[in-house]
PDB file of all heavy atoms in Angstrom:
ATOM      1  N   LYS A 307      37.940  79.179 104.745  1.00  0.00           N
ATOM      2  CA  LYS A 307      37.359  80.456 104.858  1.00  0.00           C
ATOM      3  C   LYS A 307      38.284  81.560 104.273  1.00  0.00           C
ATOM      4  O   LYS A 307      37.810  82.423 103.459  1.00  0.00           O
ATOM      5  CB  LYS A 307      37.084  80.784 106.273  1.00  0.00           C
ATOM      6  CG  LYS A 307      36.203  82.179 106.348  1.00  0.00           C
ATOM      7  CD  LYS A 307      35.821  82.323 107.831  1.00  0.00           C
ATOM      8  CE  LYS A 307      35.126  83.666 108.010  1.00  0.00           C
ATOM      9  NZ  LYS A 307      34.676  83.828 109.367  1.00  0.00           N
ATOM     10  N   ASN A 308      39.609  81.512 104.598  1.00  0.00           N
ATOM     11  CA  ASN A 308      40.478  82.321 103.958  1.00  0.00           C
ATOM     12  C   ASN A 308      40.704  82.237 102.516  1.00  0.00           C
ATOM     13  O   ASN A 308      40.961  83.063 101.683  1.00  0.00           O
ATOM     14  CB  ASN A 308      41.820  82.359 104.638  1.00  0.00           C
ATOM     15  CG  ASN A 308      41.702  82.708 106.092  1.00  0.00           C
ATOM     16  OD1 ASN A 308      40.920  83.468 106.535  1.00  0.00           O
ATOM     17  ND2 ASN A 308      42.744  82.115 106.890  1.00  0.00           N
ATOM     18  N   LEU A 309      40.480  80.907 102.049  1.00  0.00           N
ATOM     19  CA  LEU A 309      40.696  80.614 100.683  1.00  0.00           C
ATOM     20  C   LEU A 309      39.675  81.130  99.746  1.00  0.00           C
ATOM     21  O   LEU A 309      39.894  81.740  98.728  1.00  0.00           O
ATOM     22  CB  LEU A 309      40.769  79.060 100.387  1.00  0.00           C
ATOM     23  CG  LEU A 309      40.985  78.579  98.992  1.00  0.00           C
ATOM     24  CD1 LEU A 309      42.290  79.033  98.471  1.00  0.00           C
ATOM     25  CD2 LEU A 309      40.899  77.066  99.034  1.00  0.00           C
ATOM     26  N   ILE A 310      38.298  81.144 100.301  1.00  0.00           N
ATOM     27  CA  ILE A 310      37.298  81.602  99.468  1.00  0.00           C
ATOM     28  C   ILE A 310      36.867  83.021  99.723  1.00  0.00           C
ATOM     29  O   ILE A 310      35.961  83.585  99.118  1.00  0.00           O
ATOM     30  CB  ILE A 310      36.007  80.738  99.678  1.00  0.00           C
ATOM     31  CG1 ILE A 310      35.533  80.881 101.104  1.00  0.00           C
ATOM     32  CG2 ILE A 310      36.331  79.279  99.330  1.00  0.00           C
ATOM     33  CD1 ILE A 310      34.224  80.140 101.452  1.00  0.00           C
ATOM     34  N   ALA A 311      37.780  83.665 100.515  1.00  0.00           N
ATOM     35  CA  ALA A 311      37.470  85.105 100.849  1.00  0.00           C
ATOM     36  C   ALA A 311      37.598  86.082  99.622  1.00  0.00           C
ATOM     37  O   ALA A 311      36.961  87.047  99.401  1.00  0.00           O
ATOM     38  CB  ALA A 311      38.370  85.575 102.034  1.00  0.00           C
ATOM     39  N   LYS A 312      38.507  85.637  98.703  1.00  0.00           N
ATOM     40  CA  LYS A 312      38.796  86.443  97.552  1.00  0.00           C
ATOM     41  C   LYS A 312      38.724  85.596  96.214  1.00  0.00           C
ATOM     42  O   LYS A 312      39.209  84.384  96.299  1.00  0.00           O
ATOM     43  CB  LYS A 312      40.136  87.140  97.587  1.00  0.00           C
ATOM     44  CG  LYS A 312      40.335  88.087  98.642  1.00  0.00           C
ATOM     45  CD  LYS A 312      41.732  88.667  98.683  1.00  0.00           C
ATOM     46  CE  LYS A 312      41.784  89.816  99.756  1.00  0.00           C
ATOM     47  NZ  LYS A 312      43.141  90.421  99.743  1.00  0.00           N
ATOM     48  N   LYS A 313      38.103  85.949  95.115  1.00  0.00           N
ATOM     49  CA  LYS A 313      37.985  85.289  93.976  1.00  0.00           C
ATOM     50  C   LYS A 313      39.453  85.023  93.291  1.00  0.00           C
ATOM     51  O   LYS A 313      39.582  84.083  92.761  1.00  0.00           O
ATOM     52  CB  LYS A 313      37.077  86.021  92.999  1.00  0.00           C
ATOM     53  CG  LYS A 313      35.668  86.166  93.372  1.00  0.00           C
ATOM     54  CD  LYS A 313      34.804  86.854  92.320  1.00  0.00           C
ATOM     55  CE  LYS A 313      33.383  87.012  92.865  1.00  0.00           C
ATOM     56  NZ  LYS A 313      32.517  87.758  91.840  1.00  0.00           N
ATOM     57  N   LYS A 314      40.264  85.988  93.444  1.00  0.00           N
ATOM     58  CA  LYS A 314      41.677  85.827  92.974  1.00  0.00           C
ATOM     59  C   LYS A 314      42.325  84.559  93.461  1.00  0.00           C
ATOM     60  O   LYS A 314      42.993  83.842  92.793  1.00  0.00           O
ATOM     61  CB  LYS A 314      42.447  87.086  93.269  1.00  0.00           C
ATOM     62  CG  LYS A 314      43.851  86.896  92.773  1.00  0.00           C
ATOM     63  CD  LYS A 314      44.591  88.331  93.087  1.00  0.00           C
ATOM     64  CE  LYS A 314      46.039  88.274  92.651  1.00  0.00           C
ATOM     65  NZ  LYS A 314      46.767  89.531  93.003  1.00  0.00           N
ATOM     66  N   ARG A 315      42.144  84.232  94.756  1.00  0.00           N
ATOM     67  CA  ARG A 315      42.837  83.139  95.398  1.00  0.00           C
ATOM     68  C   ARG A 315      42.243  81.750  94.626  1.00  0.00           C
ATOM     69  O   ARG A 315      42.957  80.755  94.489  1.00  0.00           O
ATOM     70  CB  ARG A 315      42.590  83.082  96.764  1.00  0.00           C
ATOM     71  CG  ARG A 315      43.198  84.282  97.487  1.00  0.00           C
ATOM     72  CD  ARG A 315      42.963  84.266  99.059  1.00  0.00           C
ATOM     73  NE  ARG A 315      43.682  85.312  99.712  1.00  0.00           N
ATOM     74  CZ  ARG A 315      43.689  85.575 101.053  1.00  0.00           C
ATOM     75  NH1 ARG A 315      42.888  84.880 101.749  1.00  0.00           N
ATOM     76  NH2 ARG A 315      44.248  86.721 101.650  1.00  0.00           N
ATOM     77  N   LEU A 316      40.843  81.813  94.411  1.00  0.00           N
ATOM     78  CA  LEU A 316      40.309  80.654  93.865  1.00  0.00           C
ATOM     79  C   LEU A 316      40.843  80.426  92.381  1.00  0.00           C
ATOM     80  O   LEU A 316      41.087  79.331  91.871  1.00  0.00           O
ATOM     81  CB  LEU A 316      38.824  80.767  93.823  1.00  0.00           C
ATOM     82  CG  LEU A 316      38.146  80.679  95.166  1.00  0.00           C
ATOM     83  CD1 LEU A 316      36.620  80.976  94.947  1.00  0.00           C
ATOM     84  CD2 LEU A 316      38.414  79.359  95.827  1.00  0.00           C
ATOM     85  N   VAL A 317      41.080  81.537  91.617  1.00  0.00           N
ATOM     86  CA  VAL A 317      41.629  81.564  90.286  1.00  0.00           C
ATOM     87  C   VAL A 317      43.022  80.882  90.262  1.00  0.00           C
ATOM     88  O   VAL A 317      43.399  80.060  89.536  1.00  0.00           O
ATOM     89  CB  VAL A 317      41.596  82.860  89.666  1.00  0.00           C
ATOM     90  CG1 VAL A 317      42.302  82.798  88.335  1.00  0.00           C
ATOM     91  CG2 VAL A 317      40.153  83.339  89.499  1.00  0.00           C
ATOM     92  N   VAL A 318      43.842  81.356  91.267  1.00  0.00           N
ATOM     93  CA  VAL A 318      45.176  80.832  91.377  1.00  0.00           C
ATOM     94  C   VAL A 318      45.165  79.341  91.781  1.00  0.00           C
ATOM     95  O   VAL A 318      45.863  78.523  91.253  1.00  0.00           O
ATOM     96  CB  VAL A 318      46.059  81.610  92.404  1.00  0.00           C
ATOM     97  CG1 VAL A 318      47.338  81.018  92.621  1.00  0.00           C
ATOM     98  CG2 VAL A 318      46.171  83.039  92.003  1.00  0.00           C
ATOM     99  N   LEU A 319      44.286  78.946  92.688  1.00  0.00           N
ATOM    100  CA  LEU A 319      44.114  77.555  93.185  1.00  0.00           C
ATOM    101  C   LEU A 319      43.780  76.587  91.906  1.00  0.00           C
ATOM    102  O   LEU A 319      44.365  75.653  91.692  1.00  0.00           O
ATOM    103  CB  LEU A 319      43.124  77.375  94.209  1.00  0.00           C
ATOM    104  CG  LEU A 319      42.949  75.987  94.706  1.00  0.00           C
ATOM    105  CD1 LEU A 319      44.147  75.372  95.294  1.00  0.00           C
ATOM    106  CD2 LEU A 319      41.793  75.983  95.680  1.00  0.00           C
ATOM    107  N   PHE A 320      42.747  77.043  91.219  1.00  0.00           N
ATOM    108  CA  PHE A 320      42.298  76.202  89.960  1.00  0.00           C
ATOM    109  C   PHE A 320      43.285  76.200  88.932  1.00  0.00           C
ATOM    110  O   PHE A 320      43.497  75.195  88.332  1.00  0.00           O
ATOM    111  CB  PHE A 320      41.002  76.830  89.402  1.00  0.00           C
ATOM    112  CG  PHE A 320      39.787  76.500  90.371  1.00  0.00           C
ATOM    113  CD1 PHE A 320      38.883  77.659  90.630  1.00  0.00           C
ATOM    114  CD2 PHE A 320      39.628  75.292  90.901  1.00  0.00           C
ATOM    115  CE1 PHE A 320      37.744  77.264  91.485  1.00  0.00           C
ATOM    116  CE2 PHE A 320      38.601  75.088  91.795  1.00  0.00           C
ATOM    117  CZ  PHE A 320      37.625  76.148  92.139  1.00  0.00           C
ATOM    118  N   SER A 321      44.155  77.293  88.767  1.00  0.00           N
ATOM    119  CA  SER A 321      45.163  77.274  87.792  1.00  0.00           C
ATOM    120  C   SER A 321      46.247  76.260  88.214  1.00  0.00           C
ATOM    121  O   SER A 321      46.728  75.596  87.248  1.00  0.00           O
ATOM    122  CB  SER A 321      45.812  78.633  87.622  1.00  0.00           C
ATOM    123  OG  SER A 321      44.886  79.638  87.340  1.00  0.00           O
ATOM    124  N   HIS A 322      46.655  76.169  89.394  1.00  0.00           N
ATOM    125  CA  HIS A 322      47.636  75.132  89.807  1.00  0.00           C
ATOM    126  C   HIS A 322      47.041  73.755  89.723  1.00  0.00           C
ATOM    127  O   HIS A 322      47.823  72.753  89.425  1.00  0.00           O
ATOM    128  CB  HIS A 322      48.049  75.507  91.372  1.00  0.00           C
ATOM    129  CG  HIS A 322      48.935  76.614  91.359  1.00  0.00           C
ATOM    130  ND1 HIS A 322      48.601  77.927  91.440  1.00  0.00           N
ATOM    131  CD2 HIS A 322      50.331  76.556  91.474  1.00  0.00           C
ATOM    132  CE1 HIS A 322      49.827  78.700  91.422  1.00  0.00           C
ATOM    133  NE2 HIS A 322      50.775  77.839  91.586  1.00  0.00           N
ATOM    134  N   TRP A 323      45.695  73.497  89.913  1.00  0.00           N
ATOM    135  CA  TRP A 323      45.177  72.238  89.767  1.00  0.00           C
ATOM    136  C   TRP A 323      45.199  71.870  88.299  1.00  0.00           C
ATOM    137  O   TRP A 323      45.456  70.678  88.064  1.00  0.00           O
ATOM    138  CB  TRP A 323      43.680  72.261  90.330  1.00  0.00           C
ATOM    139  CG  TRP A 323      43.614  72.229  91.748  1.00  0.00           C
ATOM    140  CD1 TRP A 323      44.590  72.083  92.604  1.00  0.00           C
ATOM    141  CD2 TRP A 323      42.377  72.194  92.489  1.00  0.00           C
ATOM    142  NE1 TRP A 323      44.064  72.088  93.904  1.00  0.00           N
ATOM    143  CE2 TRP A 323      42.793  72.156  93.854  1.00  0.00           C
ATOM    144  CE3 TRP A 323      41.044  72.291  92.162  1.00  0.00           C
ATOM    145  CZ2 TRP A 323      41.857  72.138  94.907  1.00  0.00           C
ATOM    146  CZ3 TRP A 323      40.148  72.253  93.127  1.00  0.00           C
ATOM    147  CH2 TRP A 323      40.552  72.103  94.534  1.00  0.00           C
ATOM    148  N   LEU A 324      44.981  72.808  87.372  1.00  0.00           N
ATOM    149  CA  LEU A 324      45.190  72.519  85.970  1.00  0.00           C
ATOM    150  C   LEU A 324      46.684  71.998  85.636  1.00  0.00           C
ATOM    151  O   LEU A 324      46.892  71.140  84.895  1.00  0.00           O
ATOM    152  CB  LEU A 324      44.783  73.626  85.155  1.00  0.00           C
ATOM    153  CG  LEU A 324      43.270  73.972  85.064  1.00  0.00           C
ATOM    154  CD1 LEU A 324      43.006  75.205  84.184  1.00  0.00           C
ATOM    155  CD2 LEU A 324      42.485  72.802  84.455  1.00  0.00           C
ATOM    156  N   LEU A 325      47.612  72.670  86.291  1.00  0.00           N
ATOM    157  CA  LEU A 325      48.983  72.326  86.041  1.00  0.00           C
ATOM    158  C   LEU A 325      49.283  70.886  86.668  1.00  0.00           C
ATOM    159  O   LEU A 325      49.949  70.130  86.071  1.00  0.00           O
ATOM    160  CB  LEU A 325      49.941  73.403  86.707  1.00  0.00           C
ATOM    161  CG  LEU A 325      49.956  74.732  85.999  1.00  0.00           C
ATOM    162  CD1 LEU A 325      50.766  75.578  86.770  1.00  0.00           C
ATOM    163  CD2 LEU A 325      50.382  74.616  84.597  1.00  0.00           C
ATOM    164  N   HIS A 326      48.682  70.704  87.797  1.00  0.00           N
ATOM    165  CA  HIS A 326      48.890  69.354  88.380  1.00  0.00           C
ATOM    166  C   HIS A 326      48.378  68.231  87.410  1.00  0.00           C
ATOM    167  O   HIS A 326      49.060  67.269  87.049  1.00  0.00           O
ATOM    168  CB  HIS A 326      48.071  69.266  89.724  1.00  0.00           C
ATOM    169  CG  HIS A 326      48.627  70.121  90.791  1.00  0.00           C
ATOM    170  ND1 HIS A 326      49.878  70.726  90.783  1.00  0.00           N
ATOM    171  CD2 HIS A 326      48.090  70.470  92.033  1.00  0.00           C
ATOM    172  CE1 HIS A 326      50.051  71.415  91.782  1.00  0.00           C
ATOM    173  NE2 HIS A 326      49.032  71.319  92.582  1.00  0.00           N
ATOM    174  N   ALA A 327      47.079  68.491  86.935  1.00  0.00           N
ATOM    175  CA  ALA A 327      46.603  67.468  86.006  1.00  0.00           C
ATOM    176  C   ALA A 327      47.313  67.279  84.656  1.00  0.00           C
ATOM    177  O   ALA A 327      47.491  66.263  84.244  1.00  0.00           O
ATOM    178  CB  ALA A 327      45.121  68.042  85.619  1.00  0.00           C
ATOM    179  N   TYR A 328      47.915  68.480  84.205  1.00  0.00           N
ATOM    180  CA  TYR A 328      48.738  68.485  83.040  1.00  0.00           C
ATOM    181  C   TYR A 328      50.019  67.629  83.269  1.00  0.00           C
ATOM    182  O   TYR A 328      50.327  66.869  82.348  1.00  0.00           O
ATOM    183  CB  TYR A 328      49.104  69.964  82.560  1.00  0.00           C
ATOM    184  CG  TYR A 328      49.652  70.048  81.286  1.00  0.00           C
ATOM    185  CD1 TYR A 328      48.762  70.493  80.278  1.00  0.00           C
ATOM    186  CD2 TYR A 328      50.930  69.867  80.980  1.00  0.00           C
ATOM    187  CE1 TYR A 328      49.222  70.649  78.848  1.00  0.00           C
ATOM    188  CE2 TYR A 328      51.522  70.125  79.680  1.00  0.00           C
ATOM    189  CZ  TYR A 328      50.562  70.433  78.625  1.00  0.00           C
ATOM    190  OH  TYR A 328      51.116  70.534  77.454  1.00  0.00           O
ATOM    191  N   GLY A 329      50.507  67.726  84.366  1.00  0.00           N
ATOM    192  CA  GLY A 329      51.733  66.967  84.649  1.00  0.00           C
ATOM    193  C   GLY A 329      51.464  65.436  84.783  1.00  0.00           C
ATOM    194  O   GLY A 329      52.299  64.657  84.390  1.00  0.00           O
ATOM    195  N   ILE A 330      50.280  65.111  85.483  1.00  0.00           N
ATOM    196  CA  ILE A 330      49.897  63.640  85.589  1.00  0.00           C
ATOM    197  C   ILE A 330      49.682  63.181  84.230  1.00  0.00           C
ATOM    198  O   ILE A 330      50.060  61.937  83.899  1.00  0.00           O
ATOM    199  CB  ILE A 330      48.683  63.552  86.579  1.00  0.00           C
ATOM    200  CG1 ILE A 330      49.160  64.000  87.881  1.00  0.00           C
ATOM    201  CG2 ILE A 330      48.208  62.187  86.450  1.00  0.00           C
ATOM    202  CD1 ILE A 330      47.909  64.061  88.842  1.00  0.00           C
ATOM    203  N   VAL A 331      48.917  63.867  83.440  1.00  0.00           N
ATOM    204  CA  VAL A 331      48.711  63.223  82.051  1.00  0.00           C
ATOM    205  C   VAL A 331      49.991  63.168  81.253  1.00  0.00           C
ATOM    206  O   VAL A 331      50.082  62.157  80.553  1.00  0.00           O
ATOM    207  CB  VAL A 331      47.654  64.247  81.299  1.00  0.00           C
ATOM    208  CG1 VAL A 331      47.462  63.914  79.863  1.00  0.00           C
ATOM    209  CG2 VAL A 331      46.296  64.146  81.977  1.00  0.00           C
ATOM    210  N   SER A 332      50.801  64.014  81.390  1.00  0.00           N
ATOM    211  CA  SER A 332      52.101  63.958  80.625  1.00  0.00           C
ATOM    212  C   SER A 332      52.982  62.729  81.016  1.00  0.00           C
ATOM    213  O   SER A 332      53.643  62.128  80.315  1.00  0.00           O
ATOM    214  CB  SER A 332      53.000  65.236  80.795  1.00  0.00           C
ATOM    215  OG  SER A 332      52.214  66.364  80.364  1.00  0.00           O
ATOM    216  N   ILE A 333      52.971  62.432  82.391  1.00  0.00           N
ATOM    217  CA  ILE A 333      53.672  61.344  82.890  1.00  0.00           C
ATOM    218  C   ILE A 333      53.109  60.007  82.447  1.00  0.00           C
ATOM    219  O   ILE A 333      53.697  59.041  81.928  1.00  0.00           O
ATOM    220  CB  ILE A 333      53.830  61.395  84.421  1.00  0.00           C
ATOM    221  CG1 ILE A 333      54.714  62.537  84.729  1.00  0.00           C
ATOM    222  CG2 ILE A 333      54.376  60.110  84.910  1.00  0.00           C
ATOM    223  CD1 ILE A 333      54.791  62.785  86.294  1.00  0.00           C
ATOM    224  N   THR A 334      51.708  59.956  82.486  1.00  0.00           N
ATOM    225  CA  THR A 334      51.058  58.699  82.175  1.00  0.00           C
ATOM    226  C   THR A 334      50.768  58.411  80.713  1.00  0.00           C
ATOM    227  O   THR A 334      50.695  57.348  80.275  1.00  0.00           O
ATOM    228  CB  THR A 334      49.715  58.475  82.954  1.00  0.00           C
ATOM    229  OG1 THR A 334      49.010  59.585  82.608  1.00  0.00           O
ATOM    230  CG2 THR A 334      49.933  58.624  84.444  1.00  0.00           C
TER     231      THR A 334
END
Side-chain angles (χ1 to χ4, degrees):
K307 184 177 180 180
N308 294 334
L309 180 62
I310 62 177
K312 296 181 180 180
K313 295 181 179 179
K314 178 181 177 180
R315 295 177 178 179
L316 293 176
V317 172
V318 174
L319 177 64
F320 289 134
S321 301
H322 281 82
W323 282 0
L324 290 176
L325 292 177
H326 296 345
Y328 196 93
I330 293 175
V331 172
S332 301
I333 292 176
T334 60

